[in-house]
Amino acid sequence: MNVFRKGNKELIKDLNRSIVIDLVRLQGNVSRTDIAKVTGLGLSTITNIIEELIKENLVTEVGTGDSHGGRKPVLLKFNGDYGVIVGMKIEKQEVKMCLSNLEGNILHKHQFSYTTKEAMQLTTVIIEQLEGFIKRNESGSKVVGIGIATPGLVDQENNEVVYSPILKMDHGDLKPIGRHFDVPLMIDNDANVFALAEKWIGAGREYRNFIGVTVGAGVGAGIVIDHTLFRGDFGGAGELGHITINQGDRLCYCGQRGCLELYASDPYLVHEAERMVAIGVPTLIDSFHPITPESVVMAAQKGDQYAQELLEKQGENLALGIKNMIHLFNPEAVILGGEGLRENDFLLKGMQKELAVHFFIRHPRKLQFKTSQLGEDVWLIGACALVVSHLFKVPIYK
Ligand SMILES: [Zn+2]
């Protein structure tokens, strides 16, 4: 349970510091007077806080701005190079990692594959690889934290992957990684991390309320409410893949029947394509062995009508699930991403067809629908965002 700190002078000082640093960090090039205007804090309070932040090298002065009569104001900038963050994504048989500055600029990247045997001691393998990676790219900046994105159900408080069928991981304890490097370790599931990346430097920056949806091996969602990721009780909010869209139908690995993931993920494409081939549908997909999601997209791009219809159907199914979220949360935007997109217009066409009708359609404020522009790096950037939001969080709890 979170225990509140007492409302004494120290807490107020920490709160003000947090407000000031967030403003400088997220807005950039602001003067002390600008900060006073936006926050309503007294100029002397701000001057003291800024002095401290400059001493700590978290904020620097970067020249002067336009004057509206009187002295030109000194502009302040957050020092994004104060330290480096390790961002990591654990995937099936592969781990990707990066070093980034505190503003989400990726400086170096590394990835390695691991075998089924190595999966048993994955944390040991990760520590070894990360140690080498940091050593090779050491530039004097200190590592201030490690953020990790993984598929599956995550226990954030205990840095544990409770259950991930994609990784075949059961109670995977990642704490040793943070302990080894003696820095804060933050983990979260990949859909939450996706939404954080979009909020930090992607399409989600401009929205107060949006939903990030990822499609690939699974289907997931990260819900941002009032500029903040909504995690639910233990980080499980947004399990879009396991809402029921087809009562009494196929059994999902989670134990339920008719989950969205069975109709909208990569395995759906493969399952349906194999079924079509088995019953003798004259589709180009038949020429691919084995059948993969990529082969369905390739066949569709070569003009195969059955592959095109299958991708459109996947899009329609995905949109059905997304519409449920739209009606529950009334977001300004939905941002779509994940390896399952594969730049194929057929899936998007199917989605648009289904999304053309919903209860809010007559409201003048139209729902925005966007695809992520952060590419494959989105997971690493989001993993770094986990650390940044930990470092600069509002300090109201003990
Ligand atoms: Zn399920």
Side-chain angles (χ1 to χ4, degrees), residues 306-323:
Y306 299 101
Q308 291 176 357
E309 282 170 7
L310 176 54
L311 288 164
E312 275 181 42
K313 187 70 190 150
Q314 180 197 15
E316 284 174 30
N317 294 344
L318 184 58
L320 271 181
I322 291 175
K323 280 211 287 193

Side-chain angles (χ1 to χ4, degrees), residues 64-75:
T64 51
D66 294 333
S67 150
H68 304 285
R71 215 149 48 103
K72 282 188 176 178
V74 178
L75 297 181

Side-chain angles (χ1 to χ4, degrees), residues 121-141:
Q121 319 103 27
L122 191 56
T123 43
T124 316
V125 183
I126 288 175
I127 288 170
E128 262 175 38
Q129 290 276 343
L130 181 54
E131 204 147 49
F133 174 53
I134 293 174
K135 223 170 251 168
R136 284 196 298 283
N137 297 295
E138 226 167 14
S139 55
S141 292

